[in-house]
C-alpha cells in the first residue's frame, strides 16, 4: 500500500455563535494515501467544507480544540502562516464550491492565473511587491503561455479570448473549468475538489468530472472529492468516507461500500440514489441536529429507524467490522448496546436490503454482516 499523504486525526472544529458553541466537526479521522482518490460524502450542512477548509488552513473564525492534520507527516495546524501559505500554493490546491465567489470579479482570468504562477511556493505575499509587479507589467511570456495551455487542457475552446475575459463574461461551466485550471496550475500533490460539478447542469457536470479525472491521472495527483452525491463518489473515487453531522460514520473502499453498506445513514443515502434530481436525504426523514446542542451519543439517533434508548446514551465509536471497513453504529460494534441490536446485527434481513440490490447480493450481504457484527 502507498504511503499516507494526508492523515486527519481526531479533528474537532468549533465555532462561537450567538446561540452558543457550534461543535460542528466531532472527532473526524480519515487518511488519503499517495496517488489515491477518496471521497467525503454527506448531505448539505454535514461539515464537508469545514473539514476541508481546516485541512487547507482556511478557517480563521474557527477553534480547533483537538486534533491533528498530518500532511506528509507534518501537522499543518502547527505550521506558521507563512509556511502554510507556501505549502498551499505549491503542494495543496482546492477547487472551491462556488465558482463565482472563488474568482475575483475585478481581475481577468489571465491575471488570476498568472498570480498563481508567480506566487506559488513563495513564503509570503508582500503587498508592495504585488503592486510593484502589477504596475511594472512584468508578466512573463512563459507564464502567459503556460496559463493559456492550461485553459486549453481543461477544454476551453478559445483559450486566448478567455484568458483576457473577466469571470462575469463567462458561463458557469467555463468558470468551473477555470477553477480547475487554476487549481492544477501549481501541479499540487493534493487536490481538494469541493463539489466541483454542483453548480453545473448534469451534462456539463459529467464532462467536468471526466476531465478532472483524466487530468489528475496524467499528473498522478491525490484527490479528495467532496460531494453530497454517492453516485458521483462511486464514479470518481477508490475510497469513500461517509460523513454525518460532523462525524465519519462509515469508511471503506468504494467497491466494498456498494457491496456491503452497513451504517443506517449510508443505507438511507443509497436508497435515495434513484431520486438524485431532488437531492440527497429523500430516503431519510428529518434534519441534521443543531450543532450547538447535538445529541449526546449517536448524532443520527433522531432519524435512525433502528435507534434504541441506549443510542441516546452510549457513543458509537467507529469499529472495524471487516478489514478496512469501519462503521460507527451500535448495530455493528461487536457488543451491541441492546438485545434488539444484537438480533439485527446477526440477521441483516431485519434491516432489509437496499432496493437496488438483487436477491443473490442480499444473501451474501447477510453473511458478511453476521460476521461483521461479531468483530471487535
Ligand atoms: N464560520 C462559521 N461559523 C459558524 N458556523 C459555520 C461556519 N462555517 C460553517 N458553519 C456551519 O458548519 C456546518 C457545516 O457547514 P459546511 O459548509 O461544512 O457544510 P457542507 O457539508 O459543506 O454542506 P454543503 O453540501 O451545503 O456545501 C453548517 O451548519 C454551517 O452553518
Ligand atoms: S448507533 Fe443506534 S441510532 Fe446510531 S445509527 Fe446505529 S442504530 Fe442508529
Ligand atoms: Mg460545502
Amino acid at each position: 500500500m502507498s504511503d499516507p499523504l494526508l492523515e486527519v486525526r481526531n479533528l474537532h472544529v468549533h465555532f462561537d455563535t450567538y446561540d452558543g458553541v457550534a461543535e460542528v466537526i466531532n472527532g473526524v479521522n480519515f487518511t488519503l494515501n499517495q496517488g489515491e482518490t477518496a471521497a467525503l460524502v454527506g448531505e448539505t450542512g454535514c461539515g464537508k467544507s469545514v473539514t476541508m477548509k481546516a485541512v487547507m488552513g482556511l478557517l480563521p473564525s474557527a477553534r480547533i480544540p483537538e486534533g491533528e492534520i498530518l500532511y506528509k507527516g507534518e501537522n499543518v495546524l502547527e505550521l506558521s502562516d507563512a509556511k502554510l501559505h507556501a505549502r498551499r500554493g505549491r503542494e495543496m490546491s482546492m477547487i472551491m464550491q462556488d465558482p463565482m465567489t472563488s474568482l475575483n470579479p475585478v481581475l481577468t482570468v489571465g491575471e488570476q492565473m498568472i498570480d498563481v504562477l508567480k506566487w506559488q511556493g513563495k513564503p509570503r505575499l508582500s503587498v508592495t511587491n504585488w503592486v510593484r509587479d502589477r504596475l511594472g507589467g512584468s508578466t512573463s511570456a512563459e507564464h502567459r503561455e503556460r496559463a493559456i495551455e492550461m485553459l486549453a487542457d481543461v477544454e476551453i475552446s478559445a483559450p486566448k479570448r478567455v484568458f483576457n475575459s473577466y469571470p462575469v463574461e463567462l458561463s458557469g461551466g467555463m468558470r468551473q473549468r477555470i477553477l480547475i485550471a487554476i487549481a492544477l496550475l501549481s501541479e499540487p500533490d493534493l487536490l481538494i475538489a469541493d463539489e466541483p460539478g454542483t453548480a453545473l447542469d448534469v451534462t456539463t457536470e459529467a464532462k467536468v468530472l471526466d476531465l478532472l479525472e483524466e487530468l489528475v491521472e496524467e499528473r498522478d495527483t491525490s484527490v479528495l472529492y467532496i460531494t453530497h452525491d454517492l453516485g458521483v463518489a462511486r464514479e470518481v473515487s477508490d475510497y469513500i468516507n461517509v460523513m454525518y453531522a460532523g462525524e465519519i460514520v462509515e469508511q471503506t473502499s468504494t467497491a466494498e461500500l456498494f457491496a456491503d453498506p452497513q451504517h443506517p445513514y449510508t443505507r438511507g443515502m443509497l436508497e435515495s440514489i434513484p431520486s438524485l434530481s431532488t437531492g440527497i436525504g429523500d430516503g431519510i426523514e428529518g434534519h441534521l441536529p443543531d450543532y450547538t446542542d447535538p445529541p449526546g451519543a449517536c448524532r443520527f439517533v433522531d432519524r435512525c429507524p433502528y435507534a434504541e434508548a441506549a443510542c441516546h446514551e452510549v457513543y458509537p465509536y467507529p469499529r472495524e467490522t471487516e478489514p478496512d471497513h469501519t462503521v460507527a453504529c451500535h448495530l455493528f460494534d461487536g457488543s451491541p448496546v441492546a438485545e434488539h441490536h444484537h438480533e439485527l446485527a446477526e440477521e441483516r434481513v431485519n434491516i432489509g436490503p437496499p432496493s437496488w440490490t438483487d436477491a443473490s447480493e442480499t444473501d451474501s450481504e447477510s453473511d458478511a454482516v453476521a460476521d461483521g457484527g461479531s468483530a471487535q
Side-chain angles (χ1 to χ4, degrees), residues 287-317:
H287 305 283
L288 284 165
D290 177 353
Y291 288 111
T292 60
D293 185 23
C298 177
R299 288 191 168 190
F300 190 53
V301 71
D302 295 333
R303 300 170 79 181
C304 179
Y306 313 107
E308 295 283 341
C311 297
H312 289 270
E313 287 149 26
V314 183
Y315 187 77
Y317 284 100

Side-chain angles (χ1 to χ4, degrees), residues 121-164:
K122 300 261 168 47
R124 190 180 283 280
L125 281 176
S126 136
V127 174
T128 324
N129 283 346
W130 187 84
V131 171
R132 190 179 297 144
D133 181 85
R134 195 158 291 280
L135 291 176
S138 66
T139 301
S140 78
E142 200 185 305
H143 283 159
R144 186 187 147 85
E145 205 176 298
R146 174 113 181 270
I148 290 175
E149 236 172 62
M150 185 55 86
L151 289 175
D153 278 359
V154 296
E155 294 179 2
I156 284 178
S157 53
K160 283 186 187 157
R161 180 177 62 75
V162 170
F163 181 88
N164 292 314

Side-chain angles (χ1 to χ4, degrees), residues 78-315:
E78 289 171 355
L79 291 181
S80 65
D81 283 355
K83 274 196 175 163
L84 189 60
H85 177 80
R87 188 148 269 194
R88 249 197 324 257
R90 205 176 47 234
E91 301 197 26
M92 309 170 167
S93 255
M94 182 158 174
I95 303 172
M96 294 286 187
Q97 195 165 3
D98 179 353
M100 201 52 214
T101 55
S102 310
L103 288 167
N104 188 334
V106 301
L107 297 179
T108 63
V109 168
E111 283 169 325
Q112 298 184 56
M113 295 183 86
I114 281 169
D115 276 350
V116 172
L117 286 170
K118 269 189 191 153
W119 301 110
Q120 69 184 8
K122 300 261 168 47
R124 190 180 283 280
L125 281 176
S126 136
V127 174
T128 324
N129 283 346
W130 187 84
V131 171
R132 190 179 297 144
D133 181 85
R134 195 158 291 280
L135 291 176
S138 66
T139 301
S140 78
E142 200 185 305
H143 283 159
R144 186 187 147 85
E145 205 176 298
R146 174 113 181 270
I148 290 175
E149 236 172 62
M150 185 55 86
L151 289 175
D153 278 359
V154 296
E155 294 179 2
I156 284 178
S157 53
K160 283 186 187 157
R161 180 177 62 75
V162 170
F163 181 88
N164 292 314
S165 304
Y166 287 91
V168 73
E169 297 172 305
L170 305 167
S171 69
M174 290 252 238
R175 289 198 288 259
Q176 192 66 64
R177 279 159 201 254
I178 287 159
L179 282 187
I180 294 174
I182 291 177
L184 292 174
L185 263 183
S186 49
E187 303 196 356
D189 294 337
L190 169 64
L191 176 68
I192 297 177
D194 193 352
E195 308 258 14
T198 313
L200 309 174
D201 62 77
V202 177
T203 322
T204 320
E205 177 182 10
K207 275 194 204 148
V208 166
L209 290 180
D210 283 350
L211 173 69
L212 194 48
E213 212 176 344
E214 245 172 63
L215 292 170
V216 296
E217 232 165 70
E218 274 168 23
R219 290 163 171 79
D220 198 27
T221 307
S222 308
V223 188
L224 257 171
Y225 273 93
I226 304 181
T227 175
H228 60 269
D229 186 334
L230 259 178
V232 167
R234 185 184 205 174
E235 289 278 304
V236 299
S237 62
D238 311 317
Y239 202 89
I240 295 183
N241 301 286
V242 180
M243 178 171 247
Y244 180 76
E247 297 176 349
I248 303 289
V249 294
E250 184 159 6
Q251 56 196 173
T252 187
S253 70
T254 304
E256 166 74 6
L257 190 86
F258 278 81
D260 186 18
Q262 297 183 355
H263 197 281
Y265 180 62
T266 312
R267 298 175 67 84
M269 284 177 74
L270 286 166
E271 295 290 356
S272 69
I273 280 188
S275 51
L276 281 180
S277 56
T278 49
I280 200 160
D282 289 3
I284 311 168
E285 291 194 358
H287 305 283
L288 284 165
D290 177 353
Y291 288 111
T292 60
D293 185 23
C298 177
R299 288 191 168 190
F300 190 53
V301 71
D302 295 333
R303 300 170 79 181
C304 179
Y306 313 107
E308 295 283 341
C311 297
H312 289 270
E313 287 149 26
V314 183
Y315 187 77

Side-chain angles (χ1 to χ4, degrees), residues 324-345:
D324 203 23
H325 190 161
T326 302
V327 182
C329 168
H330 291 311
L331 291 172
F332 300 99
D333 67 3
S335 53
V337 293
E339 194 55 33
H340 179 54
H341 276 160
H342 203 56
E343 286 159 21
L344 287 171

